[in-house]
Amino acid sequence: MANTLLKFGLPLAIVAFLYQAVLRDLIFLTIGVGKTIEPISNFPYTCRRIEDPRLSACEDMFLSDATRQLFLACSEPSARPQWMPNVARFNHSGRSMNDAVIAMDIDKPIGKGSFEYRVLRTVSYPVEKHDDANLHLVGMTGNDSPNTIELLLVNNKPSRDPHTGTILDNEAQGANSTIEKFITGPAATTMKHISTHHHTRIATPNNIATAPGISGFYITNDHGLHKTGYMHTLSQVFGLGDVTYCDTSTTGETDCHKLAGGISFPNGLLYHPQHNLLYVPSSANGNIRVYRPSFTAGSSIPTLTKIHEIHIPYPIDNLSLDPHTGDIYVPCLPKALEMMAGFEDPYNAFPPSTVLRVRRTGDLDGQGQMKYEVEKVLENVGGKDTPLPGATTVVRDGKTGRLFLSVGLGDPPARDRAILV
Ligand SMILES: *[C@@H]1O[C@H](CO)[C@@H](O)[C@H](O)[C@H]1NC(C)=O
Ligand SMILES: *[C@@H]1O[C@H](CO)[C@@H](O)[C@H](O)[C@H]1NC(C)=O
């Protein structure tokens, strides 16, 4: 019996587990079986692409409503498949040396549907032995105000020997990801470096969230502490991604603590100031986890209590907030495998995209549950002439109702971003 169990039971158990954990998500979420994808003409938007090679592979965006600038963290599409530590690409010789934050004036249209923009020069970024002269951008967030805008960026630089500066075997070691803080202002042309945050718990940072009145920041580690190897791969199956908080209240110190785990590929998290809640999406199995942060007296590290999970049957990328309405905009990847094909071959893949809006409609229902309404605001079937390739970030300008979409992975220059008016 025991033998038979071992012979058949165990593999069956493993297959069943894999089906549960991987295949079900893969079939129903990642491949997108059973999803009807609607054409863009069903939605009340007119879309256009901004065709500009400098505005390509923009992984993330931050809208400064106070100064009417859209900040974009841009790279080069051809470099993404070579160097993208978040998805285990470690060919450092193929990394982009042109990543930059771009400030776009969204109220100053020019040319064929574009806007005035400036490529921000970094000031006081300390280029030491263990640094590249330029940043390697992925996720970004900011704190907005009329005179000063604080930008927090994920910087995926290669690991180097701290004494000689020689690049180490990053395939084995993983990248040396840091969070960089800069400040900039209205009509920005430069951004001034304030601090570098480096910690073992800043391991596979995907994105960052800040909140008013706290002296630190939240990040998602999309693969937990597993930077490389088979545990990096398996971390998605076993849900080893986490939410980590880094306290910076002691000058010069970065003190990071894991607050929540068990998440498969957590991505662009969002702190919602009106709700005082942290929303954490998954790029592997969908849904948005809702956490309430709380601080106890005498501690600068919050705790997170999970209070809800918003059902969204799509892999999700970065969340963004419309500060005017409090709605959350959610870019989804209805066909994630096509998205991955786009990553490998950026010039020949045209995946569809979906944008959802999540609106809180009530505090608590009879079961003590939060109430949310999820609505599709835009969709696009994909294809060669699509104005909207699979979008990784969507930002809504509450003042004008426009949506700005960008594609971070492998978007060709001709299809970098779509502006919807
Ligand atoms: C690594 O990147 C370089 C530069 O783009 C390229 O020439 C090389 O073929 C890449 N190596 C691998 C193993 O893909
Ligand atoms: C990683 O970056 C930090 C902060 O810039 C630096 O102190 C450290 O030496 C670097 N480590 C490696 C292995 O590159």
Side-chain angles (χ1 to χ4, degrees), residues 64-305:
S64 162
D65 187 37
T67 67
R68 307 296 293 154
Q69 298 176 96
L70 183 66
F71 292 93
L72 299 114
C74 301
S75 184
E76 290 171 303
S78 56
R80 288 289 194 207
Q82 304 299 333
W83 179 255
M84 182 76 173
N86 297 74
V87 290
R89 298 305 167 99
F90 294 109
N91 180 9
H92 61 79
S93 49
R95 73 195 185 282
S96 163
M97 293 300 185
N98 290 309
D99 286 15
V101 174
I102 289 172
M104 182 182 253
D105 295 327
I106 56 170
D107 293 335
K108 292 187 185 158
I110 49 159
K112 278 194 264 157
S114 188
F115 297 88
E116 280 181 20
Y117 69 80
R118 296 160 300 277
V119 179
L120 302 191
R121 195 164 48 78
T122 56
V123 174
S124 317
Y125 178 61
V127 182
E128 293 174 27
K129 279 198 188 119
H130 45 68
D131 294 315
D132 278 347
N134 66 299
L135 302 163
H136 297 285
L137 300 173
V138 200
M140 163 166 72
T141 193
N143 277 316
D144 194 17
S145 82
N147 297 315
T148 308
I149 300 144
E150 194 177 79
L151 294 176
L152 286 147
L153 304 166
V154 172
N155 184 18
N156 274 337
K157 59 186 179 183
S159 289
R160 290 172 185 262
D161 182 302
H163 304 292
T164 63
T166 312
I167 296 188
L168 300 171
D169 178 359
N170 278 256
E171 192 91 46
Q173 174 113 2
N176 187 13
S177 303
T178 56
I179 306 296
E180 306 290 336
K181 190 184 281 187
F182 287 87
I183 54 169
T184 183
T189 53
T190 59
M191 55 182 198
K192 185 172 184 299
H193 187 254
I194 301 298
S195 51
T196 294
H197 302 278
H198 173 245
H199 193 276
T200 48
R201 289 224 154 261
I202 303 176
T204 57
N206 184 299
N207 222 322
I208 317 159
T210 57
I214 61 166
S215 62
F217 51 82
Y218 299 92
I219 60 166
T220 44
N221 277 309
D222 55 32
H223 291 74
L225 295 180
H226 307 285
K227 291 188 180 200
T228 62
Y230 72 95
M231 281 308 287
H232 177 91
T233 314
L234 286 178
S235 69
Q236 196 163 321
V237 178
F238 293 121
L240 303 180
D242 67 47
V243 179
T244 287
Y245 181 78
C246 295
D247 179 45
T248 56
S249 56
T250 313
T251 316
E253 298 280 326
T254 304
D255 178 26
C256 303
H257 295 259
K258 174 175 158 183
L259 303 185
I263 316 167
S264 293
F265 212 118
N267 204 310
L269 76 176
L270 169 78
Y271 174 78
H272 196 303
Q274 288 115 304
H275 300 172
N276 183 30
L277 295 172
L278 195 65
Y279 292 92
V280 182
S282 161
S283 290
N285 47 25
N287 289 6
I288 298 176
R289 287 137 197 85
V290 185
Y291 298 91
R292 175 167 288 133
S294 54
F295 286 85
T296 47
S299 172
S300 52
I301 312 297
T303 51
L304 288 184
T305 312

Side-chain angles (χ1 to χ4, degrees), residues 37-38 332-334 351-355 378-382 388-391 405:
I37 299 184
E38 297 178 58
C332 299
L333 312 171
S353 45
T354 301
V355 178
L378 184 70
E379 197 160 56
N380 172 50
V381 288
L388 285 184
L405 286 92

Side-chain angles (χ1 to χ4, degrees), residues 45 62-63 65 68 270-275 279 319-330 356-359 377 394-403:
Y45 287 99
F62 172 71
L63 177 63
D65 187 37
R68 307 296 293 154
L270 169 78
Y271 174 78
H272 196 303
Q274 288 115 304
H275 300 172
Y279 292 92
L319 301 180
S320 82
L321 173 69
D322 178 348
H324 292 257
T325 58
D327 294 338
I328 300 169
Y329 283 79
V330 187
L356 305 176
R357 185 187 64 206
V358 174
R359 174 172 286 174
V377 294
V394 56
V395 165
R396 182 167 192 270
D397 171 21
K399 222 169 236 170
T400 60
R402 288 173 298 181
L403 297 178

Side-chain angles (χ1 to χ4, degrees), residues 405-417:
L405 286 92
S406 75
V407 185
L409 298 176
D411 58 320
R415 303 185 290 124
D416 332 288
R417 307 192 334 58

Side-chain angles (χ1 to χ4, degrees), residues 23-45:
L23 293 181
R24 192 197 50 202
D25 288 345
L26 196 67
I27 292 169
F28 293 103
L29 292 175
T30 317
I31 303 175
V33 168
K35 270 177 217 152
T36 318
I37 299 184
E38 297 178 58
I40 203 161
S41 54
N42 285 7
F43 300 90
Y45 287 99

